[in-house]
């Protein structure tokens, strides 16, 4: 009953009635979370409630440990000429296809070092892969910083940052700059062994919003040097 819902949510009956009627009242996130709990709403229903009342989705707690759905593995396997991999909020590389492994060599790293931001700042071969390294590292760090604010209380992501501040002077300096970039698409230039620099377009695609899983997809750019043809020939010789 309405009276029971109001009591369990910790508000007065009149105020809760106004909420149901859609009146112009101030609604806090704490109340909406309480109401979601009382009504036993799932994640989609809770998000819908927030959009109705505050015209925004709820702030989801960051999760750094996730399992990649099997269908995503199948999707990446179908991308026979496009490097693709999945990262979580901590930028751990959780899954990848054969092309991405040929480019980034993810399978050669132990699981605890299979982290893109660690590889970018600490691992020598990865630093040489991204060319120019500085410009691309700054941009990727700004994207990582945006993800970090969603999980500032997660011990594993905090431990990663402390380790990088100790191991990388560039990370230690740049982490304090607070630069944030929003675009999840653009270009990368990778210096591939036996081929040289190749320009790629890339995009990050959200595959699980609640678990903060993103698929990162690369495609060699069509340009005057015919990068896509050169890249395809390089792949065929692997």
């Amino acid at each position: 009953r309405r009276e029971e819902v109001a009591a369990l949510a910790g508000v007065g009956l009149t105020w809760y009635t106004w909420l149901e009627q859609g009146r112009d009242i101030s609604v806090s996130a704490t109340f909406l979370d309480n109401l979601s709990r009382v009504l036993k709403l799932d994640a989609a229903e809770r998000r819908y409630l927030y959009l109705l009342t505050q015209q925004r989705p709820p702030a989801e707690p960051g999760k750094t440990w996730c399992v990649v759905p099997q269908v995503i593995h199948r999707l990446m396997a179908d991308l026979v000429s496009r490097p693709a991999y999945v990262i979580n909020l901590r930028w751990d590389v959780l899954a990848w296809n054969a092309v991405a492994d040929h480019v980034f060599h993810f399978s050669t790293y132990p699981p605890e070092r299979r982290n893109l931001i660690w590889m970018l700042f600490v691992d020598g071969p990865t630093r040489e892969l991204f060319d120019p390294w500085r410009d691309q590292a700054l941009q990727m760090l700004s994207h990582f910083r945006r993800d970090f604010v969603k999980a500032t209380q997660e011990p594993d992501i905090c431990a990663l940052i402390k380790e990088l501040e100790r191991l990388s002077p560039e990370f230690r300096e740049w982490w304090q700059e607070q630069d944030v970039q929003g675009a999840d698409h653009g270009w990368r230039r990778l210096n591939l062994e036996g081929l040289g620099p190749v320009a790629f377009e890339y995009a990050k695609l959200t595959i699980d919003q609640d678990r903060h899983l993103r698929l990162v997809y690369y495609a060699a750019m069509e340009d005057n040097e015919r990068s896509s043809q050169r890249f395809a020939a390089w792949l065929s010789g692997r």
Side-chain angles (χ1 to χ4, degrees), residues 106-202:
F106 293 131
S107 63
T108 65
Y109 297 87
E112 67 273 12
R113 289 306 181 208
R114 207 174 288 147
N115 177 278
L116 194 59
I117 204 72
W118 184 91
M119 293 169 61
L120 184 67
F121 279 91
V122 178
D123 181 62
T126 304
R127 289 177 65 118
E128 294 177 2
L129 177 65
F130 287 86
D131 179 28
W133 177 82
R134 186 181 189 279
D135 293 344
Q136 296 181 89
L138 276 168
Q139 185 188 63
M140 294 170 74
L141 182 60
S142 73
H143 291 172
F144 175 75
R145 184 181 290 109
R146 181 190 58 191
D147 289 343
F148 167 71
V149 299
K150 302 175 185 176
T152 56
Q153 303 306 312
E154 289 290 305
D156 57 352
I157 198 170
C158 294
L160 173 65
I161 290 170
K162 289 182 179 178
E163 181 182 21
L164 287 170
E165 287 180 324
R166 177 172 56 85
L167 296 177
S168 170
E170 296 97 339
F171 182 92
R172 184 167 57 250
E173 176 186 351
W174 297 345
W175 185 247
Q176 304 303 320
E177 294 180 2
Q178 304 301 323
D179 178 49
V180 176
Q181 298 183 24
D184 276 332
H185 57 86
W187 69 273
R188 294 273 181 260
R189 194 171 77 163
L190 304 179
N191 188 18
L192 302 176
E193 184 179 358
L195 179 61
V198 177
F200 290 85
E201 293 179 293
Y202 81 93

Side-chain angles (χ1 to χ4, degrees), residues 84-104:
Y85 54 86
V86 176
I87 60 173
N88 60 10
L89 205 55
R90 189 177 180 265
W91 285 38
D92 297 313
V93 182
L94 305 180
W96 57 88
N97 64 5
V99 190
D101 200 29
H102 191 49
V103 172
F104 298 99

